[in-house]
Amino acid sequence: MAVHPQIQEDKWKSLRYLIGGIFLVLVLIEKSMGFDPKATGSFLPKQGFRNIGKSLDKSKFAEPSDPFAKETWEDDLNWEEEVLTQTFPDSDPKQKQRPKLIDDTIPEITLPEDRFPGAGKRLQADAGYLSVYFLKFYGTGKNSQSQLVKLSREFPGGDPISFLFQELAKGPNPEEKGKGVLSALSKKIRMEPNYRLENGILHLSLSDDIGYGGSMEILKDRLDQLSFTMVGNFGIKGVILYSNGERIRTLGSDGLTIPDVLAKSQRKVIIF
């Protein structure tokens, strides 16, 4: 039985619509999967549609892999730590030289007030009696303690400063020694005659022996003998000591600090 021509034509139209619809669906699927027909010059991949539903290119279309699934993911994250902990030597340590902090060629500078001011007008006094101070120890063993002893010397007149220092350097006479009187000043100590008395301050230049020998207590006794003997006489209010033209700041190997101006300390005095 023959098919009616109108029915035959409707079937072909339906088939063409079906094929066109399938083709349009395939195109949309390709676009949704990132396929660009303009870049490839063709609407269809070279492999056709036999792999639809499967991954065409695993490296391009596969889902992003879990970065923590790799065994070496910790190495990828450690780059920052490596940069922070990596050290870069500046240069060969053998060739590196530290800058010199002190230049030995620069001479030391002594301030004007630390220099001996030079000779002044020598004092003159009439004959009479002047006081000098020595030491006497009381107690025994660890309980022994020195005390200042005030003694008198007959002054023939003339320069009282030189006379007083000479008497200190001589020490107590034999009779005084028999009573236990001693001196903390060595007989080697010398005073330069060019002292200066200015504004009530007596500037004395002594030999280096002033700081030699003796403990800290003996050095303190030495300074007290000088200050008590000089201060209070002839308008002297204080004493500044020098040696080799420079001011003495410390005494002894332990570095006993000397006040800027020596004066009488708060200490008991025994009068013989």
Side-chain angles (χ1 to χ4, degrees), residues 133 148 164-165 168 185 189 191 202 204 206 210 220-231 239 241 251 262:
Y133 290 79
L148 282 177
L164 288 172
F165 190 86
L168 286 174
L185 277 81
I189 299 176
M191 183 193 82
L202 178 63
L204 293 179
L206 309 178
I210 185 65
K220 291 178 181 178
D221 288 338
R222 191 174 297 174
L223 296 176
D224 283 338
Q225 281 188 245
L226 277 170
S227 59
F228 274 80
T229 299
M230 298 297 178
V231 176
V239 180
L241 301 179
L251 283 182
L262 286 176

Side-chain angles (χ1 to χ4, degrees), residues 4 13 40 43 45 68 94 103 110 136 139-140 149 178 198 208 227 229 250:
H4 193 277
K13 286 182 180 181
T40 59
F43 288 100
F68 298 99
K94 296 181 179 180
D103 190 351
T110 303
K136 182 176 174 60
T140 58
V149 176
E198 188 174 24
D208 293 337
S227 59
T229 299
T250 59

